[in-house]
Amino acid sequence: MAARRAYEEPHNLGRMDVVCIHCGALHWRDEATGKPKDGFPAFGSCCNHGKVALLELPEPPPQLKQLLVAADTQATEFHSHITQYNAALAFTSLGVNNDKAINQQGQSGWVFQIQGYLYHLSGALTAPEGRAPSYSQLYIFDPAIAFRQRMHRNSDLRGDTMQTLQDMLLQLHPYTAKYRQAYEILADQDAEIQDVAVHLRVMSGQDKHRYNLPTADKVAFVLPGNGEGGLDGCPRVPEGWAPLSRISDRHPTYATLYYVLLFPRGEHGWYEDLRLNDPSRANPGRLTQSRYYAYRIFPRATKF
């Protein structure tokens, strides 16, 4: 009834407070598709009229939520540098050809303009001799060493905030343990063998009518081998060489390995086997990537 009242009351025309009856997403009144049915507005852009049904993501861990909602100096600094904190703690790096010339033309405001594609890159599990570790390599080291390395590269950030976020990810993000496990597997291999790789593979068995977030142990495992046929490789590093593997955006870890402050518990993202929620059809259609992220982006009053 709240959705119906918000739709019918004229003073709400300029407010984004009309609720989708299927998924609870907040809309402006004029986003409704067609005439209301039984007095309730219908919306398609959030959940395709109920055909997209995803489990909601959990609330942020308390230590992260405090930084997001507080009004003190620590939280203010975190808000101003949140992208830098995320990059310092990410497992993967951002691959992009940033066209910086546009910011040299004297226009107001800063513009992030790219040429070609934006993608994520995964490096080897260990850094070449003489090169400092970075990204996922830091999760293999002693946390104190990793913290010093992160602060050395980000000396303008607060140490207490970095320590809080690093401890949080070490405790909650499942891939911190999986990368250490991968490193241990490679360390057990013959040092003269250079073609050993470790791959993250998604195991089948998820509910195809509804995207249920499985536990980490049911999603990925590490596999030594020559890397043929895998999605993403973490190769051992030949001397003096540091390869980078491009991660497919079809892999469910694509987002969680880079946007660690959005998915601090290692929540998985879209992948090709997800299906629409349509009980009336024996074989519901595939849930597209754009539909998946549209659902995730919409705000909902009952969710953080």
Side-chain angles (χ1 to χ4, degrees):
M1 295 304 295
R4 181 173 179 174
R5 286 198 304 271
Y7 183 76
E8 293 176 343
E9 292 175 4
H11 67 274
N12 286 329
L13 286 174
R15 294 166 56 186
M16 190 177 183
D17 59 357
V18 186
V19 180
C20 172
I21 61 173
H22 297 290
C23 70
L26 299 175
H27 290 266
W28 283 286
R29 175 176 175 173
D30 287 346
E31 289 181 299
T33 57
K35 295 181 179 180
K37 183 179 180 180
D38 298 327
F40 292 93
F43 300 100
S45 55
C46 51
C47 65
N48 195 14
H49 306 287
K51 292 182 180 180
V52 179
L54 309 181
L55 291 182
E56 297 303 328
L57 297 172
E59 286 209 353
Q63 54 271 59
L64 176 58
K65 188 173 182 179
Q66 178 65 20
L67 289 169
L68 291 170
V69 302
D72 54 24
T73 56
Q74 183 180 13
T76 300
E77 188 270 348
F78 174 67
H79 293 171
S80 300
H81 298 88
I82 190 169
T83 303
Q84 189 177 351
Y85 278 109
N86 185 88
L89 293 158
F91 293 85
T92 57
S93 59
L94 188 66
V96 63
N97 183 11
N98 184 9
D99 182 9
K100 299 180 180 180
I102 190 171
N103 289 309
Q104 300 173 1
Q105 298 175 3
Q107 80 282 359
S108 60
W110 182 82
V111 178
F112 180 69
Q113 177 169 294
I114 67 172
Q115 295 177 338
Y117 294 97
L118 184 148
Y119 46 90
H120 297 171
L121 296 170
S122 177
L125 283 173
T126 55
E129 186 176 353
R131 182 174 297 181
S134 59
Y135 297 102
S136 61
Q137 297 162 358
L138 291 172
Y139 286 101
I140 297 169
F141 282 79
D142 180 274
I145 298 176
F147 172 77
R148 289 196 296 269
Q149 182 62 32
R150 289 188 172 104
M151 290 308 301
H152 175 72
R153 292 183 171 177
N154 300 275
S155 57
D156 56 323
L157 300 182
R158 287 180 57 129
D160 54 350
T161 300
M162 185 72 78
Q163 186 71 68
T164 296
L165 296 173
Q166 177 180 287
D167 292 346
M168 175 191 71
L169 293 173
L170 288 173
Q171 177 187 0
L172 298 177
H173 204 294
Y175 285 95
T176 60
K178 292 190 178 295
Y179 271 88
R180 286 194 298 270
Q181 181 186 6
Y183 175 74
E184 292 169 359
I185 290 176
L186 290 186
D188 289 338
Q189 304 298 316
D190 190 332
E192 296 181 358
I193 300 177
Q194 297 295 335
D195 64 347
V196 177
V198 173
H199 293 257
L200 297 176
R201 298 185 182 275
V202 177
M203 300 174 66
S204 60
Q206 286 84 2
D207 184 343
K208 293 187 176 182
H209 295 285
R210 183 177 178 88
Y211 178 44
N212 297 321
L213 293 174
T215 62
D217 290 341
K218 294 182 180 179
V219 173
F221 61 93
V222 290
L223 177 70
N226 62 8
E228 294 180 357
L231 286 174
D232 309 298
C234 299
R236 172 183 284 152
V237 182
E239 185 176 356
W241 182 57
L244 292 174
S245 299
R246 181 168 171 174
I247 299 180
S248 170
D249 64 357
R250 297 174 297 171
H251 198 285
T253 64
Y254 178 82
T256 194
L257 291 179
Y258 183 75
Y259 302 105
V260 291
L261 297 185
L262 280 176
F263 309 105
R265 294 182 176 87
E267 299 90 338
H268 283 181
W270 177 89
Y271 62 99
E272 290 180 315
D273 290 340
L274 297 181
R275 314 294 290 182
L276 292 172
N277 179 44
D278 191 353
S280 65
R281 298 176 58 186
N283 184 24
R286 184 170 63 90
L287 174 59
T288 65
Q289 197 175 57
S290 59
R291 284 287 188 189
Y292 174 90
Y293 285 110
Y295 183 98
R296 286 290 185 223
I297 288 173
F298 264 90
R300 292 169 175 84
T302 58
K303 302 299 177 183
F304 181 77

